[in-house]
Amino acid sequence: MRGWLGPTAAVAAVVVVVLGVLYADAGRPGSVDARILAAVEGVGPRARHVALATDFLGEPVGAAALVAAVVTGCLLLRRPRAAVLVVVGVGLAVVTTRLLKHLVGRTIHGDENLSYPSGHTAFLTALALVVTLLATGRSGLGRTAGASLVLLVALVAGVAMGWAQVVLGAHYPTDAVGGWFTALAVIPATAWAVDRVADSVRRKAR
């Protein structure tokens, strides 16, 4: 699937940069943000409970539990390279969002709350990307079907967490979009790097 995901990652990186430039040092929603915020304004208590539960998956405890579960599964399946990708790829996606927040400087609810891009959205999207990449690799799906499934699952994960962040008022909608594209840019590049290093180590061992 490298033939599909490589260009996709490049386009995603461009989108992240463009959105970052558009909303640099902003402290208010853009026109697109305002329309979406108006649509989700006043959601009921049940929706907020669902949003809180989804948000927990991106909090330190919830995120650590998810990563630990996926890594354990990889090791039980004797896929150490996959376990490395989970830790390094997801970790890099989150670190990248934190670096971008300071570079972009967009804020929400005060100057100290940096918002672009959404780290929660990047985390869940990145984890979904890695898990689906591993699953499609084992299932033997073709390149087109495999790449389509990977992107679909990543989209569902990103929309779910992005919706939760917007409903809870933690991020603007475009912050969530930036987080989704950040994960889409980081994970394929990290997977390529992990493969290169692992293949090099294997050749030297032989």
Side-chain angles (χ1 to χ4, degrees), residues 109-198:
H109 306 314
D111 293 339
E112 296 182 357
N113 299 316
L114 298 172
S115 66
Y116 179 88
S118 166
H120 280 62
T121 306
F123 165 77
L124 196 61
T125 302
L127 189 63
L129 275 169
V130 172
V131 171
T132 315
L133 277 171
L134 301 176
T136 53
R138 291 181 63 86
S139 67
L141 287 175
R143 184 176 65 176
T144 302
S148 298
L149 180 60
V150 168
L151 293 177
L152 177 61
V153 173
L155 180 62
V156 171
V159 168
M161 184 59 81
W163 169 83
Q165 297 307 298
V166 172
V167 167
L168 296 175
H171 285 283
Y172 303 114
T174 44
D175 295 336
V177 173
W180 189 79
F181 276 108
T182 299
L184 204 60
V186 169
I187 293 302
T190 307
W192 176 83
V194 169
D195 278 345
R196 292 268 303 200
V197 172

Side-chain angles (χ1 to χ4, degrees), residues 32 95 194:
V32 175
V95 169
V194 169

